[in-house]
Amino acid sequence: MTSSGMNTMSRIIFYEDRNFQGRSYECMSDCPDMSSYLSRCHSCRVERGCFIVYDRTNYMGNQYFMRRGEYADYMSMMGMSDCIRSCRMIPMHRGSYRMRIYERENFGGQMYELMDDCDSIMDRYRMSNCMSCNVMDGHWLMYEQPHYRGRMMYMRPGEYRDFMNMGMSGMRFMSMRRITDSCY
């Protein structure tokens, strides 16, 4: 089975069982609900491109970044449940990266502009909280702990005025990383 979409630059195949066994579902674009194709997911193979997978439908819930490679038992390896319910293809970005991070919601408080990875906003900017951001260029991953650890959130170009109202209650972002060509 193949999801609709004309982007042949990206492809991920999900399998119900470990080691690429059982029913499979191939995806080449965004898929908001995979539950009708697979009842569970224990392994996957990213043949081309990068994807964010979610444990709830409609791109909600915990997120996991998947780059090209084979994940024979990635569920237990990454501490994931067996419920991958949606996935989003990350388009390749060529050009500069720019994101403004703000101390408070609605772009309030201290503002800093990033053009490269930041492994700790506390160390670099003495900033203890990031409550909103504006992604002007590129695609980014924001992490709740320094050094790109903990839960993550995929950010594509756009304004993110209040992380609390985006279903990220209790999550603080402490490090940010660009999704660059080397990820593909």
Side-chain angles (χ1 to χ4, degrees):
M1 290 180 264
T2 302
S3 66
S4 63
M6 298 303 294
N7 187 341
T8 58
M9 296 305 295
S10 299
R11 178 171 34 228
I12 187 170
I13 305 167
F14 298 96
Y15 298 87
E16 284 191 332
D17 299 320
R18 291 170 178 81
N19 298 313
F20 318 110
Q21 300 295 308
R23 288 178 51 199
S24 66
Y25 177 65
E26 181 179 309
C27 214
M28 297 171 70
S29 63
D30 296 353
C31 180
D33 186 358
M34 294 174 24
S35 58
S36 60
Y37 305 110
L38 296 175
S39 60
R40 64 186 182 276
C41 181
H42 282 286
S43 58
C44 78
R45 180 179 286 126
V46 180
E47 292 186 351
R48 291 188 303 267
C50 296
F51 290 83
I52 295 290
V53 297
Y54 303 80
D55 62 5
R56 291 177 37 206
T57 59
N58 297 312
Y59 319 113
M60 301 293 290
N62 292 314
Q63 303 182 13
Y64 305 92
F65 176 68
M66 309 298 282
R67 65 197 301 163
R68 189 176 51 186
E70 294 189 340
Y71 303 86
D73 187 14
Y74 74 90
M75 293 304 176
S76 60
M77 183 176 79
M78 299 174 92
M80 298 172 69
S81 69
D82 65 357
C83 296
I84 296 302
R85 295 294 181 224
S86 55
C87 75
R88 188 179 299 275
M89 187 267 303
I90 302 173
M92 187 178 287
H93 174 75
R94 301 226 186 259
S96 63
Y97 289 78
R98 250 178 19 138
M99 174 173 54
R100 290 186 180 147
I101 58 173
Y102 297 85
E103 187 178 33
R104 292 198 277 282
E105 60 277 333
N106 291 314
F107 313 125
Q110 292 291 315
M111 181 276 292
Y112 297 98
E113 187 167 298
L114 300 170
M115 297 179 78
D116 59 355
D117 299 349
C118 177
D119 66 351
S120 172
I121 61 171
M122 179 59 106
D123 291 348
R124 186 184 288 184
Y125 302 117
R126 300 290 173 234
M127 188 176 179
S128 62
N129 214 351
C130 174
M131 298 297 294
S132 56
C133 75
N134 182 4
V135 177
M136 283 92 75
D137 295 304
H139 298 261
W140 298 74
L141 294 174
M142 296 179 73
Y143 296 83
E144 70 177 340
Q145 296 174 20
H147 310 292
Y148 319 116
R149 297 171 48 122
R151 292 182 298 168
M152 70 175 66
M153 179 66 66
Y154 166 57
M155 302 296 202
R156 54 190 180 175
E159 293 184 347
Y160 301 89
R161 294 184 168 276
D162 187 356
F163 295 150
M164 294 297 220
N165 288 335
M166 292 175 54
M168 297 180 259
S169 182
M171 219 169 141
R172 297 184 336 165
F173 294 112
M174 301 304 291
S175 55
M176 296 82 186
R177 174 179 278 165
R178 300 163 298 152
I179 302 174
T180 62
D181 288 354
S182 65
C183 295
Y184 293 85

